[in-house]
Amino acid sequence: MSLDHGKAKRPFRSSETEAMGYPSIVMLIILLIGFISRGRLLFYLFFALSAFSSLSLLPPDHFGGFNVQSQTLAALGLFAKAIQRPGAVRHAIRLIDDMNRLGLLFFFLVVSILVSVISPNLFASTITIVPVRLEGEFQTALLSPTGTNLSQCVYLAVSILTALTFALLATRPNFINNFVASLLFGGIVVVVSGIADMIFADSGALAPFRNVSFPALESAIEFGGTRRVIGLTPEASAYGWICVYMAAMLLFLRPAVTRSSVRLATVVVISALIVMALLSTSSTAYLWLGSLAACYMIDLAIRGLRPTPNRTQSAAFGGELFALAILIIIGATVLAFGDGVYDRAYEMLDAIIFKKNATGSFYERSFWNSTSFAAFISSWGLGVGVGGTRTSSTYIGLLSSAGVVGAILFGLFMIQIFMTKARDATTSSIITGLKLTLLSLFLPWATTGGVDFGPNVGAIFGVIIGLTATNGARARQGSGQAKSVRMTRLIYASAQRSSGDCRAVVLAPERTSDLQRKAWEKEFTPPEGAG
């Protein structure tokens, strides 16, 4: 059974692209209110706006096909608000300058931009690529500088800027609760958008929300009698991706939810997101769900081996295991005794995953990857630049767009992310959950995406770096306080022997040499238990 559904993909060109529709105007007003207000509206909207990826706030036809999406503007607005706080600029510079924080990621951005400027001119008309803006299937072109180099570099810069933004926001009080609440609200919006797509699929009511200039939007189709759900995204794979992303984040961050009512709501939203991902019938979503299940087992093992700090968390973990066992029993019973359920499920999985290589979509995406990898080889490992060629694999996208140097920098940054450690129990479970979400992405990244990992993944990077940087700052602050106490003790001890030296330290510390301080420390350090 083919997933082509008898219909070829077509370039998406809506009449709504010619002028701004009411959804774009309303969204711009909401974003403006969120930016000028002193509340957290923009923060809570960030993840929810990823459900509207088929909506361009400005007419793409008037801006050379450049799509201005609501989440992109929300990310820029969040950065502008975060950088205004006292000390934020200095903190941001430290994060960017530190290779153990965001230095490697920003270095990767610089390399990617340089390659995007150099390669299209250096290898112009000598390397065959797949254009990012397709006009037909299996289309190729010769490499040359285009507007997509600029637009895709902007998208990549916004994703990396989002990492910096969330690294800054993570230092604020009560950030974790607000972060989980934003994800929960975003998950609800994603589910509602999918339900709206199912209800109004044939009425045209959602047409104003689909004005994005997207080269391969799949038309409304059915698979085995089940309509593919795309929500308010350009295609089923995009909707399935955002569903699994939200489900993974909420699943692994659920230990941060303390209120029982919110915990119950989180479980309901996770379940709804998984159902909507299944209804998208996206092979990428199914692949990620399988990877997510494996990472969830790892998470259960980690939590089972880790000592629980209180009875409440211990009871919650036991209840989760019990609920999981019940779900497995119910699922096995339905598959075993349901009339044709097993055959139906096997047929769906067989067609979506195991026979994926027999579909036109598989051949086309494989063609993108093979052509782009050949372009990488032809560029002698330099790459053809961001926006230079189209891929359907994050790993091939990194190599073909940013070259060997860029791919190595990004790989080193990923290793650094997984090497970070929390210094306290409060953030340990959060950082572990975020790492597991990234780990579950490694398999789907092989079949989808490009060099731009997107603002949602950038938020994960930023929170991990931000929480560990906060812990490090607190540790340094504590170390500084300890040194201050020790110096006070040394001054007190020296006062008993030499009041003149004591006054020199207290009244003119800048005139005191390091050698003199070390001499005082050696001579006047009080014995253990003294002072």
Side-chain angles (χ1 to χ4, degrees):
M1 185 179 296
S2 174
L3 288 183
D4 288 339
H5 315 282
K7 297 183 180 181
K9 293 182 179 180
R10 57 180 175 82
F12 179 70
R13 293 290 184 271
S14 170
S15 59
E16 296 291 337
T17 62
E18 299 175 359
M20 291 178 62
Y22 74 89
S24 300
I25 297 174
V26 172
M27 194 68 72
L28 284 171
I29 293 174
I30 294 174
L31 288 171
L32 181 61
I33 294 174
F35 179 72
I36 63 179
S37 66
R38 301 185 64 181
R40 300 187 181 95
L41 176 61
L42 207 57
F43 183 78
Y44 285 126
L45 286 175
F46 177 79
F47 292 105
L49 293 177
S50 61
F52 299 89
S53 58
S54 64
L55 175 66
S56 181
L57 301 185
L58 299 176
D61 288 350
H62 296 171
F63 292 88
F66 188 81
N67 298 311
V68 182
Q69 296 180 334
S70 52
Q71 191 183 38
T72 301
L73 291 186
L76 294 174
L78 272 177
F79 172 74
K81 296 187 72 171
I83 207 69
Q84 292 175 5
R85 293 176 65 90
V89 174
R90 184 167 48 187
H91 186 198
I93 293 174
R94 284 200 302 265
L95 289 172
I96 297 173
D97 186 57
D98 190 350
M99 288 298 171
N100 291 321
R101 301 300 180 192
L102 291 175
L104 286 172
L105 191 60
F106 273 84
F107 195 12
F108 161 73
L109 174 62
V110 171
V111 170
S112 299
I113 293 176
L114 288 176
V115 172
S116 303
V117 172
I118 296 172
S119 288
N121 293 281
L122 181 63
F123 301 110
S125 302
T126 61
I127 296 179
T128 301
I129 51 93
V130 179
V132 174
R133 294 174 185 166
L134 293 173
E135 297 296 336
E137 296 181 347
F138 299 96
Q139 178 186 353
T140 60
L142 292 177
L143 180 65
S144 64
T146 63
T148 56
N149 295 120
L150 174 61
S151 62
Q152 297 302 314
C153 282
V154 170
Y155 293 144
L156 178 61
V158 170
S159 299
I160 294 177
L161 200 64
T162 302
L164 176 60
T165 302
F166 275 82
L168 294 173
L169 294 175
T171 61
R172 297 187 180 183
N174 206 32
F175 168 79
I176 296 299
N177 291 334
N178 293 327
F179 183 66
V180 175
S182 177
L183 284 167
L184 184 59
F185 178 65
I188 294 173
V189 173
V190 170
V191 171
V192 171
S193 68
I195 296 174
D197 177 51
M198 297 170 65
I199 296 175
F200 302 106
D202 301 323
S203 66
L206 300 180
F209 290 89
R210 292 173 177 152
N211 68 336
V212 72
S213 176
F214 191 77
L217 182 74
E218 297 181 19
S219 56
I221 48 180
E222 292 187 356
F223 172 69
T226 302
R227 184 185 179 280
R228 304 189 79 183
V229 179
I230 65 173
L232 296 177
T233 66
E235 59 180 348
S237 60
Y239 182 70
W241 193 96
I242 191 61
C243 283
V244 184
Y245 171 86
M246 292 292 185
M249 291 288 281
L250 290 172
L251 179 66
F252 292 130
L253 296 182
R254 69 200 181 283
V257 180
T258 55
R259 295 175 56 184
S260 57
S261 58
V262 180
R263 184 182 290 271
L264 177 61
T266 302
V267 173
V268 172
V269 173
I270 291 173
S271 303
L273 286 167
I274 292 176
V275 170
M276 300 308 290
L278 293 173
L279 291 177
S280 73
T281 64
S282 165
S283 57
T284 300
Y286 281 40
L287 192 65
W288 194 357
L289 284 173
S291 177
L292 179 61
C295 290
Y296 178 60
M297 294 297 106
I298 297 175
D299 180 48
L300 288 178
I302 293 174
R303 294 172 61 202
L305 296 174
R306 179 187 299 161
T308 53
N310 53 59
R311 292 184 178 181
T312 303
Q313 292 191 6
S314 179
F317 179 67
E320 185 175 339
L321 289 179
F322 178 76
L324 180 62
I326 294 297
L327 287 175
I328 292 175
I329 293 173
I330 292 175
T333 303
V334 171
L335 288 176
F337 301 102
D339 186 16
V341 174
Y342 175 81
D343 294 335
R344 174 69 175 169
Y346 179 80
E347 180 184 356
M348 291 279 290
L349 290 175
D350 185 49
I352 294 173
I353 298 179
F354 302 115
K355 291 183 179 178
K356 176 71 175 179
N357 58 357
T359 66
S361 173
F362 174 83
Y363 284 117
E364 184 177 11
R365 293 175 185 272
S366 299
F367 172 75
W368 297 350
N369 290 336
S370 60
T371 304
S372 297
F373 187 75
F376 161 72
I377 298 298
S378 300
S379 68
W380 301 96
L382 181 62
V384 296
V386 180
T389 186
R390 188 177 186 86
T391 64
S392 185
S393 169
T394 297
Y395 307 121
I396 294 180
L398 284 168
L399 287 172
S400 61
S401 299
V404 173
V405 176
I408 290 176
L409 287 172
F410 187 80
L412 290 175
F413 175 74
M414 291 298 298
I415 294 174
Q416 171 190 299
I417 283 287
F418 281 95
M419 292 294 289
T420 56
K421 294 181 180 180
R423 296 177 181 268
D424 57 74
T426 305
T427 58
S428 177
S429 60
I430 302 300
I431 293 177
T432 300
L434 294 173
K435 289 179 181 179
L436 286 172
T437 302
L438 287 177
L439 184 63
S440 68
L441 257 175
F442 280 10
L443 187 58
W445 268 349
T447 62
T448 188
V451 64
D452 179 19
F453 46 81
N456 288 327
V457 176
I460 299 179
F461 293 155
V463 174
I464 293 177
I465 294 297
L467 291 179
T468 53
T470 301
N471 293 330
R474 289 172 179 171
R476 288 191 297 270
Q477 182 180 5
S479 176
Q481 291 174 351
K483 291 179 179 178
S484 177
V485 171
R486 180 167 178 79
M487 181 56 69
T488 302
R489 291 179 177 178
L490 290 175
I491 293 173
Y492 176 77
S494 66
Q496 298 177 353
R497 298 279 300 274
S498 176
S499 58
D501 285 347
C502 175
R503 286 193 300 271
V505 175
V506 175
L507 298 179
E510 70 279 359
R511 298 180 183 177
T512 308
S513 66
D514 291 338
L515 187 61
Q516 189 176 7
R517 289 178 183 273
K518 291 180 180 179
W520 287 332
E521 181 175 356
K522 181 178 180 181
E523 182 177 358
F524 300 117
T525 298
E528 291 293 332

